[in-house]
Amino acid sequence: MRKMPSLKSLQAFEAAARRGSFAAAANELHVTASAISHQIRFLEQEVGVSLFHRNTRTIALTDVGESYFQSVSEAFTTVEAATRDIERHGKSDILTVHSVPSFAAQWLMPRLARFSAQHSSIDVRLHASADPVDLNAGLVDIDIRYGSVLPTRGVVTMTLPEEAIMVFCAPDVIARGPMKELSDLRHHTLIHSEVNLLSWRGWSKRHGDVPLDFDRGPRFDRSFMAISAAVDGLGICLESHLLVERERQTGRLVPLFENHHEMIACHSFSVLKAKQNVPKIKAFQKWILEELIRSKYK
């Protein structure tokens, strides 16, 4: 059990030691000087030593009192700083979300302001990496993954809505050659996202073995880099409509052969089973599903 003096007596002692006067301490704490004197006497009885030298009109800290004052003052400063930090940030909950990089950069980050506007008491911390995280370690609340996720004890995984995998390019690329038939793609440079669930070769097979040169073209291990390369006019990319949403809205990329898109479940949302009903997690899950429905390919 902790041995702690009363907070009132500590406040009286700290104020009196800092101000050098019982009367000044009383004025600061809005009590009487006799109340300050009483609280300090009570504190001295608790610690078993005198903390002040008392003269008729003045007080001075004893050596022990001076040492004690330094420690108490430091503790009060720490509490005060922590309180100001809470007031400054105004957040009651911290939600830590881990996501694969491309989903985080291309789709999630541009929308986080909307979540914060709806849930001002929740402070979102977004971490992005391709490596899986251990939710049981307690450092992350939500893990958004790409591709298959192995079952983990104590973890609940929800598959997010299917995404339309489509062909995209910068507007000026269209002017470089014909783009009327799927086979016309053989006249253009293909940009490859090597970790994507659907590759150019797989897309070609799904559309009657379109004759394409799969060996040429730049290759990337992140979709956001492939998308950036397409914006720069390096070639034609095959990506999710979700990840290309901003580039499409701004006209930096345009879809090709929209009737030949493929619907695939790409991303998943995982939380600890024991934490799935925590309000901040439920709020984020509800919000992200609403946003995904809004971004649904039509």
Side-chain angles (χ1 to χ4, degrees), residues 94-99 103-104 108 112 115 123-128 133 139-144 269 284 288:
I94 296 175
L95 179 71
T96 303
V97 179
H98 177 271
S99 171
F103 187 85
L108 185 54
L112 284 182
F115 177 79
D123 189 6
V124 178
R125 308 286 173 84
L126 178 59
H127 299 171
V133 296
L139 300 177
V140 171
D141 297 304
I142 296 166
D143 187 24
I144 299 173
F269 181 103
F284 192 84
I288 199 172

Side-chain angles (χ1 to χ4, degrees), residues 5-7 9-15 17 43 47 51 64-79:
S6 74
L7 182 58
S9 62
L10 285 175
Q11 285 180 309
F13 166 71
E14 191 275 337
L43 179 61
V47 298
L51 299 172
V64 172
E66 179 66 39
S67 176
Y68 194 48
F69 167 67
Q70 295 299 326
S71 296
V72 171
S73 178
E74 182 178 341
F76 272 42
T77 299
T78 299
V79 172

Side-chain angles (χ1 to χ4, degrees), residues 272-283:
L272 285 178
K273 186 175 182 180
K275 296 176 66 176
Q276 62 182 332
N277 290 319
V278 172
K280 63 181 180 180
I281 293 177
K282 288 184 68 176

Side-chain angles (χ1 to χ4, degrees), residues 140-212:
V140 171
D141 297 304
I142 296 166
D143 187 24
I144 299 173
R145 306 296 308 156
Y146 179 79
S148 59
V149 177
L150 296 176
T152 303
R153 186 173 183 177
V155 174
V156 176
T157 297
M158 172 183 67
T159 301
L160 295 178
E162 290 184 335
E163 302 166 32
I165 310 303
M166 303 170 60
V167 179
F168 294 94
C169 72
D172 62 345
V173 171
I174 298 176
R176 298 177 189 174
M179 204 76 75
K180 296 180 180 180
E181 305 292 336
L182 296 184
S183 58
D184 289 335
L185 289 171
R186 71 182 185 276
H187 302 297
H188 297 268
T189 300
L190 303 182
I191 298 173
H192 303 268
S193 292
E194 295 192 312
V195 297
N196 281 6
L197 294 177
L198 183 64
S199 65
W200 274 113
R201 190 180 298 276
W203 180 87
S204 171
K205 287 182 179 179
R206 292 189 183 205
H207 296 283
D209 288 322
V210 181
L212 301 175

